[in-house]
């Protein structure tokens, strides 16, 4: 596919082959066209997932949507769409499954006997504030349940739509129940429109940090992913900008293209950056032992080689220069009782 013949507003340019399909076919280039988003209600039996990955810091996550409209070609969640019978390509961005019963499921989860509260990551797989949230407001309802039960939650998003829910976030923050992590891989707006076409603009994300900070809601920033030869020259500029806006901490990840993320990303970069596509892909391989992906625990976070080391050193400099002396609060589980009405629960225990 030649530069300029890509579908605007989408990361994937075609549906890639589902690993689990017995029969497949190769679409012609002429078959490419913009596809309208389809929302399908699904009925899961649970909404809270226990995170068992050894190198991830959270214990629980929940995702109100399956699939994501943001259109990031490198999204690690793309292959999960294949378990539902869809493609990790265009389907991942346009076939969105909606879990309308999520708030009721969360309510039941909090009432489980013996449950020991720990912060839940809201997102973790697909973005809880993607465009679908404007219509369905499932994330807002989940936050209200967390507030009702005084249960801590970490929000991870690329979207400034989080500001819509300040009326819930502010009383949560007063009880040390919420933090927001904003994903900002670039502050170059031209690049942002290509990397994550349906997310909030870079200026709007920075403004969101300012507003959240003004309302005493702690903000963490994820510079993710760092793609060598594409946005790897930006970390110091990003860290300065987000620190000035009020962010208290940051993290970052190196790009890795596992399973069917690889063909989606390769098509994307060849379409948008034909002049440097092979250079970028080779730089990624240099960090991944000659491959484009890496599934090994811990090693997948670090990468290897000179390029990876250079990126790590850049972030070390940024941490010392822009975040020294800043601390990020630990969320509280102290007021969770397993009941919405704290006094009623106390009365029941006395009985």
């Amino acid at each position: 596919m030649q530069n300029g013949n890509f579908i605007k507003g989408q990361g994937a340019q075609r549906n890639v082959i589902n690993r689990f399909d017995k029969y497949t076919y190769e679409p012609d280039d002429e078959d490419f066209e913009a596809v309208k988003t389809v929302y399908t209600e699904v009925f899961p039996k649970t909404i809270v997932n226990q995170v068992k990955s050894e190198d991830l810091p959270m214990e629980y996550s929940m995702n109100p949507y399956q699939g994501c409209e943001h259109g990031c070609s490198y999204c690690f969640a793309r292959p999960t769409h294949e378990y539902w019978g869809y493609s990790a390509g265009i389907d991942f961005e346009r076939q969105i499954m909606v879990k309308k019963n999520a708030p009721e499921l969360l309510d039941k989860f909090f009432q489980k006997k013996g449950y020991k509260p720990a912060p839940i990551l809201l997102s973790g797989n697909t973005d809880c504030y993607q465009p679908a949230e404007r219509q369905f407001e499932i994330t807002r309802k989940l936050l209200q349940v967390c507030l009702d039960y005084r249960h801590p939650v970490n929000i991870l998003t690329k979207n400034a739509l989080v500001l819509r829910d300040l009326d819930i976030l502010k009383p949560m923050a007063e009880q040390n129940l919420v933090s927001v992590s904003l994903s900002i891989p670039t502050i170059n707006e031209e690049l942002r429109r290509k990397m994550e076409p349906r997310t909030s603009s870079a200026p709007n994300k920075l403004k969101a940090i300012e507003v959240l900070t003004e309302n005493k809601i702690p903000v963490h920033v994820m510079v993710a992913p760092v793609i060598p030869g594409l946005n790897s020259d930006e970390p110091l500029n990003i860290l300065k900008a987000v620190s000035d806006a009020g962010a208290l901490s940051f993290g970052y990840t190196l790009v890795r293209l596992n399973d069917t993320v690889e063909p989606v990303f390769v098509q994307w970069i060849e379409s948008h950056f034909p002049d440097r596509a092979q250079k970028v892909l080779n730089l990624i391989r240099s960090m991944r032992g000659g491959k484009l992906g890496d599934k090994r625990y811990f090693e997948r976070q670090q990468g290897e080689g000179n390029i990876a080391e250079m990126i790590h050193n850049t972030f070390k400099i940024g941490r010392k220069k822009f975040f020294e002396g800043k601390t990020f609060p630990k969320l509280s589980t102290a007021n969770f009782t397993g009941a919405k009405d704290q006094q009623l629960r106390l009365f029941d225990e006395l009985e």
Side-chain angles (χ1 to χ4, degrees):
M1 190 184 306
Q2 299 300 313
N3 185 33
N5 292 333
F6 52 81
I7 305 168
K8 292 184 179 180
Q10 290 182 186
Q13 296 300 299
R14 66 169 74 183
N15 270 328
V16 295
I17 294 172
N18 186 319
R19 293 169 294 160
F20 306 112
D21 282 351
K22 185 175 180 181
Y23 301 105
T24 62
Y25 75 96
E26 289 287 346
D28 296 328
D29 282 0
E30 290 75 14
D31 292 337
F32 301 154
E33 60 180 17
V35 180
K36 291 184 178 180
T37 303
V38 176
Y39 300 121
T40 301
E41 184 176 4
V42 292
F43 303 90
K45 295 181 179 179
T46 60
I47 190 61
V48 178
N49 310 302
Q50 186 172 10
V51 179
K52 299 181 179 179
S53 296
E54 300 172 15
D55 56 355
L56 295 177
M58 73 289 294
E59 291 186 46
Y60 299 102
S61 70
M62 58 182 172
N63 298 276
Y65 306 100
Q66 197 73 26
C68 185
E69 296 175 78
H70 279 157
C72 308
S73 64
Y74 45 75
C75 181
F76 67 88
R78 284 182 177 274
T80 64
H81 228 45
E82 296 175 301
Y83 294 107
W84 297 80
Y86 293 111
S87 168
I90 293 174
D91 282 352
F92 178 76
E93 302 172 36
R94 300 305 187 193
Q95 297 287 341
I96 308 299
M97 284 163 281
V98 180
K99 305 173 185 177
K100 293 182 180 179
N101 65 339
E104 291 77 16
L105 293 173
L106 183 60
D107 190 279
K108 292 179 181 178
F109 179 79
F110 286 158
Q111 294 180 25
K112 283 186 176 180
K113 290 185 178 180
Y115 169 64
K116 295 181 180 180
I120 296 175
L121 178 64
L122 183 48
S123 284
N125 192 33
T126 57
D127 202 305
C128 61
Y129 279 108
Q130 61 177 283
E133 173 62 15
R134 291 187 182 277
Q135 176 178 340
F136 297 104
E137 297 191 350
I138 302 173
T139 296
R140 179 177 174 83
K141 294 171 185 175
L142 289 171
L143 289 173
Q144 184 63 59
V145 174
C146 289
L147 175 58
D148 290 344
Y149 280 89
R150 301 163 301 283
H151 192 286
V153 61
N154 295 301
I155 300 168
L156 174 59
T157 182
K158 291 175 173 283
N159 205 310
L161 180 60
V162 65
L163 297 180
R164 179 201 64 188
D165 296 332
L166 279 175
D167 60 319
I168 300 176
L169 299 178
K170 288 171 69 175
M172 291 188 74
E174 290 170 1
Q175 300 179 63
N176 198 19
L177 295 175
V178 69
S179 69
V180 175
S181 293
L182 275 168
S183 176
I184 304 180
T186 178
I187 54 175
N188 177 330
E189 185 56 16
E190 182 180 355
L191 178 58
R192 197 278 312 165
R193 285 193 291 267
K194 295 177 181 178
M195 284 184 65
E196 38 180 37
R198 302 194 74 197
T199 65
S200 297
S201 68
N204 282 346
K205 289 182 186 180
L206 293 175
K207 182 63 178 178
I209 296 175
E210 293 178 0
V211 174
L212 290 166
T213 300
E214 288 169 0
N215 286 278
K216 299 181 179 180
I217 299 162
V219 179
H220 176 84
V221 166
M222 282 300 299
V223 185
V226 181
I227 305 173
L230 204 59
N231 66 339
S232 54
D233 61 337
E234 288 195 71
L236 292 181
N237 291 334
I238 294 173
L239 296 184
K240 182 181 187 307
V242 301
S243 179
D244 289 348
L248 297 176
S249 63
F250 72 88
Y252 66 98
T253 62
L254 306 180
V255 67
R256 55 190 176 92
L257 309 172
N258 290 340
D259 300 322
T260 37
V261 180
E262 179 179 328
V264 173
F265 181 86
V266 170
Q267 292 166 9
W268 173 82
I269 198 163
E270 288 178 347
S271 298
H272 288 275
F273 301 98
D275 57 328
R276 64 175 119 163
Q278 291 308 310
K279 176 184 177 182
V280 170
L281 293 173
N282 287 333
L283 288 171
I284 296 173
R285 291 186 182 100
S286 76
M287 300 193 305
R288 300 298 181 190
K291 300 179 181 180
L292 291 175
D294 190 347
K295 296 183 180 180
R296 298 172 297 169
Y297 289 132
F298 301 103
E299 285 86 353
R300 63 181 180 173
Q301 308 287 11
Q302 294 298 313
E304 60 184 66
N306 293 335
I307 300 299
E309 183 178 1
M310 179 187 70
I311 293 171
H312 292 316
N313 289 336
T314 300
F315 279 100
K316 288 179 182 177
I317 293 170
R319 190 178 303 277
K320 183 174 180 61
K321 190 170 183 179
F322 304 118
F323 284 84
E324 192 167 28
K326 291 193 174 190
T327 57
F328 198 82
K330 183 178 180 181
L331 299 185
S332 173
T333 60
N335 294 322
F336 177 84
T337 64
K340 292 182 179 180
D341 190 317
Q342 209 165 11
Q343 292 185 350
L344 180 62
R345 175 61 178 266
L346 178 61
F347 178 81
D348 290 341
E349 290 176 351
L350 291 175
E351 285 276 307

